[in-house]
Amino acid sequence: MTLKLPPSGDDRWRLAPHARVIVYETRDGNELLTVYDCGAAQAPPSAQVIGNLVRVSAAHELERGPTGYVVSMREEADLVRQDEAHYLIEAVDGDGDDAVESDESE
C-alpha cells in the first residue's frame, strides 16, 4: 500500500474534492485502487491500495471502462478502510444522501 493522503482518523484518509479513484479489476477478484488528487493534474498518484471499493457515499460520477471503472469525486470525502480487503468512500460531512452501492467488483 502506498499512501500519500493526509490522515483524517484511524484507517481514514482525506481525498481532495476533485479526486479521481481509478479501480482496475484483477482476474482473481481483487481491485487495485489508484487515487489522484485531481483528474486534470499531471501528477503521480497520491495512493495505491489493493482491495475492493464496496461503496461510495459522497457526490461523484462513475465511468465504466474495459478494465474497471473511474470514480470522479465532486466533494471532499474520506477513503475508509473497513478491513484488509474492503474500502469505502464517505462524504466528510457524513450526509450520505448520494449513497451508491458499488457492484463493480463482480
Side-chain angles (χ1 to χ4, degrees):
M1 172 185 342
T2 302
L3 287 172
K4 296 179 186 173
L5 299 171
S8 61
D10 291 339
D11 292 329
R12 298 178 74 91
W13 299 271
R14 187 61 43 95
L15 297 174
H18 297 288
R20 290 188 88 171
V21 181
I22 300 174
V23 182
Y24 294 103
E25 298 172 351
T26 62
R27 291 180 193 194
D28 62 1
N30 286 318
E31 295 177 334
L32 171 64
L33 285 62
T34 304
V35 179
Y36 294 91
D37 286 337
C38 179
Q42 294 183 351
S46 301
Q48 283 192 314
V49 297
I50 294 175
N52 294 299
L53 182 60
V54 295
R55 183 175 62 242
V56 178
S57 59
H60 69 285
E61 290 180 19
L62 184 72
E63 302 170 51
R64 293 178 186 253
T67 60
Y69 57 100
V70 177
V71 179
S72 298
M73 301 309 302
R74 296 296 176 243
E75 69 177 318
E76 196 170 25
D78 283 346
L79 176 66
V80 181
R81 179 175 29 210
Q82 291 185 305
D83 58 40
E84 283 189 33
H86 298 95
Y87 291 83
L88 57 92
I89 297 174
E90 291 181 341
V92 170
D93 63 7
D95 186 12
D97 284 344
D98 296 322
V100 174
E101 293 291 326
S102 174
D103 62 351
E104 304 298 326
S105 62
E106 293 181 0

